[in-house]
């Protein structure tokens, strides 16, 4: 991990350009450099420039075929897109998760109490709490961290901004505290749990799965607990 200053130098030096090309296309490198630098700078201003940070991204998704069939044990064809939610994150050494999303109020979740909070249903803090809750139920590690996020997946756009946010939070807990051992399918299921139970929205699993697994995928939901996923090769 790098400090804020080290990360800014690496972005300027082009060390992340290959990742930006893979994620966003060759014509977006300069735009993404500035976008990530702004996020890193904002993290430093809020949480400290000497913190050791990691960059994260979770994409929105588009539905190619199978509208709502994930609710009905059917099949879907879905794809991640190059609009995403990015985060700059650092372990905090305490038992509190703080997430500052650009343009929104700071979300604070104390990990000592992960019970469902009726007054928080429908809010992003409920998703954070729900994901941490499910991590502990599955015997994965959790811990506090601070994060600054920026989203190009507009709310209400039909591109699953909530699923991208869930996958992002799950990925941060996965890589900051579990060494990346929680696989993409489990991250998607954890996101769905958070949305169903804590956020109080009855959603299927397609949105989270498309964001977490990435690329173009077909999913057979004959058994929703054991979805059959196939990557689709494409240019």
């Amino acid at each position: 991990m790098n400090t804020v200053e080290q990360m800014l130098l690496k972005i300027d030096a082009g060390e992340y350009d290959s990742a930006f090309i893979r994620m966003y296309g060759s014509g977006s490198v300069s735009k993404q450099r500035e976008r990530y630098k702004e996020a890193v700078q904002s993290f430093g201003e809020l949480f400290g420039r000497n913190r050791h940070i990691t960059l994260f991204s979770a994409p929105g998704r588009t539905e190619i075929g199978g509208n709502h069939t994930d609710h009905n044990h059917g099949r879907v064809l879905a794809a991640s897109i190059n609009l995403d939610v990015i985060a700059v994150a650092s372990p905090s050494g305490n038992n509190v998760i703080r997430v500052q999303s650009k343009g929104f109020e700071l979300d604070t979740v104390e990990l000592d109490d992960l019970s469902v909070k009726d007054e928080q249903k429908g809010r992003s803090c409920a998703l954070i709490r729900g994901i941490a809750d499910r991590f502990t139920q599955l015997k994965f590690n959790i811990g506090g961290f601070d994060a600054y996020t920026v989203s190009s997946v507009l709310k209400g756009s039909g591109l699953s901004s909530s699923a991208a946010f869930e996958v992002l939070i799950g990925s941060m807990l996965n890589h900051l505290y579990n060494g990346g051992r929680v696989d993409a399918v489990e991250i998607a299921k954890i996101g769905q749990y958070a949305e169903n139970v804590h956020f109080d929205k009855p959603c299927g699993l397609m949105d989270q799965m498309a964001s977490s697994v990435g690329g173009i995928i077909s999913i057979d939901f004959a058994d929703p607990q054991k979805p059959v996923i196939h990557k689709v090769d494409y240019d």
Side-chain angles (χ1 to χ4, degrees), residues 81-98:
I81 59 174
N82 61 358
L83 301 176
D84 62 350
V85 189
I86 65 171
V88 182
S90 175
S92 60
N94 57 35
N95 221 28
V96 177
I97 293 175
R98 295 188 297 174

Side-chain angles (χ1 to χ4, degrees), residues 12 48 53 55 61 66 75 88 91 110 113 154 199 203 218 235:
D12 271 333
I53 58 176
L55 304 179
R61 69 98 187 99
R75 298 176 182 178
V88 182
E110 297 184 2
D113 179 10
L154 299 177
F199 193 80
C203 68
S218 66
D235 183 344

Side-chain angles (χ1 to χ4, degrees), residues 211-228:
S211 177
S212 188
V213 175
I216 296 178
I217 56 175
S218 66
I219 316 171
D220 189 333
F221 286 104
D223 181 352
Q225 296 306 310
K226 297 179 181 179
V228 179

